[in-house]
């Protein structure tokens, strides 16, 4: 069980890092993989909805996404493996991650499909889906943020994450698709609830038992 879990998670991690680094040094490659709704629509380059999730806007962007995925990916996959078995659990985990990248890019696709200048990149949609699947499964799990040595419950961090993503999607001017954070998070939470219905009951039970530390 652990072997498949590690191999799928590491495969996503390693492949994303390799392609992202290649993109750093090859603008032409990055341009071919970018989420550009205009090109996807006019030239039927729909692969961009997925390929954009394997490139990033610099080391900080790549590092944040992959570090987050590293901490949450194995946990979520183990839940799917426990529910669906060794092989199908790993396959479902991979499917949720990849589909989340596509789904999280769809709103910007429809919004900007007639605007040639718009493009975005990053695995944020897929990573957000995994993070919020983890929040569904373990809502009161204590998490630590960089530079903040205080444990924060997962459901509180998730709420702050959604607020931040919404704000950034309205105010950011970089090529990072911040709205993908939001849509990826919603997709990850909802699809995980559909795939494992018992997790919804467990989610509310855990929240009902949670007590503030003050």
């Amino acid at each position: 069980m652990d072997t498949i879990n590690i191999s799928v998670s590491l495969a996503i991690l390693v492949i994303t890092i390799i392609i992202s680094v290649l993109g750093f040094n090859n603008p032409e490659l990055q341009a071919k993989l970018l989420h550009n709704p205009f090109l996807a629509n006019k030239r039927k380059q729909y692969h961009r909805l997925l390929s954009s999730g394997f490139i990033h806007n610099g080391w900080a962007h790549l590092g944040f996404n992959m570090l987050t995925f590293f901490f949450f990916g194995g946990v979520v996959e183990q839940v799917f493996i426990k529910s669906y078995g060794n092989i199908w659990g790993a396959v479902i985990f991979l499917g949720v991650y990849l589909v989340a990248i596509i789904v999280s890019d769809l709103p910007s696709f429809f919004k900007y499909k007639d605007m040639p200048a718009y493009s975005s990149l990053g695995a944020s949609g897929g990573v957000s889906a995994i993070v919020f699947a983890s929040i569904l499964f373990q809502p009161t799990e204590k998490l630590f943020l960089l530079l903040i040595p205080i444990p924060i419950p997962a459901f509180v961090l998730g709420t702050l994450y959604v607020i931040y993503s919404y704000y950034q999607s309205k105010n950011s001017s970089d090529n990072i698709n911040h709205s993908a954070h939001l849509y990826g998070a919603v997709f990850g939470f909802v699809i995980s609830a559909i795939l494992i219905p018992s997790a919804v009951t467990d989610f509310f039970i855990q929240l009902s038992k949670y007590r503030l530390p003050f």
Side-chain angles (χ1 to χ4, degrees), residues 16 20 24 30 33-35 48-58 61-62 65-66 97-98 100-102 104-105 118-128 175-178 180-181:
T16 302
S20 292
F24 294 162
Q30 191 168 73
L33 301 179
L34 276 172
H35 172 45
R48 292 175 178 273
L49 293 167
L50 179 61
S51 64
S52 59
F54 291 88
I55 53 176
H56 288 80
N57 189 31
H61 187 207
L62 174 64
N65 272 344
M66 291 301 97
Y97 179 79
L98 295 179
I101 293 174
I102 297 173
S104 64
D105 272 345
Y118 177 87
S119 62
S120 65
L121 73 174
S124 301
V127 173
S128 294
N175 281 347
I176 299 173
N177 189 356
H178 292 283
H181 294 86

Side-chain angles (χ1 to χ4, degrees), residues 43-89:
R43 300 184 182 178
K44 311 304 179 186
Q45 297 177 355
Y46 299 120
H47 69 274
R48 292 175 178 273
L49 293 167
L50 179 61
S51 64
S52 59
F54 291 88
I55 53 176
H56 288 80
N57 189 31
W59 287 102
H61 187 207
L62 174 64
F64 178 81
N65 272 344
M66 291 301 97
L67 186 63
T68 302
F69 177 78
F70 175 78
F71 284 119
F72 289 94
V75 174
V76 173
E77 189 176 359
Q78 281 293 345
V79 176
F80 285 128
I81 286 175
K82 184 177 179 180
S83 296
Y84 286 94
N86 196 27
I87 301 299
W88 279 110

Side-chain angles (χ1 to χ4, degrees), residues 180-201:
H181 294 86
L182 180 59
Y183 294 112
V186 172
F187 174 80
F189 192 93
V190 172
I191 194 63
S192 298
I194 293 173
L195 290 168
I196 307 179
S198 61
V200 178
T201 302

Side-chain angles (χ1 to χ4, degrees), residues 132-148:
F132 273 73
S134 177
I135 291 175
L136 171 67
F137 300 142
Q138 301 177 337
T140 61
E141 183 75 10
K142 299 295 192 304
L143 304 176
F144 287 88
L145 292 177
L146 294 176
L147 305 179
I148 303 179

Side-chain angles (χ1 to χ4, degrees), residues 192-210:
S192 298
I194 293 173
L195 290 168
I196 307 179
S198 61
V200 178
T201 302
D202 292 338
F203 174 80
F204 287 108
I205 290 175
Q206 291 181 64
L207 287 182
S208 68
K209 293 181 179 179
Y210 179 75

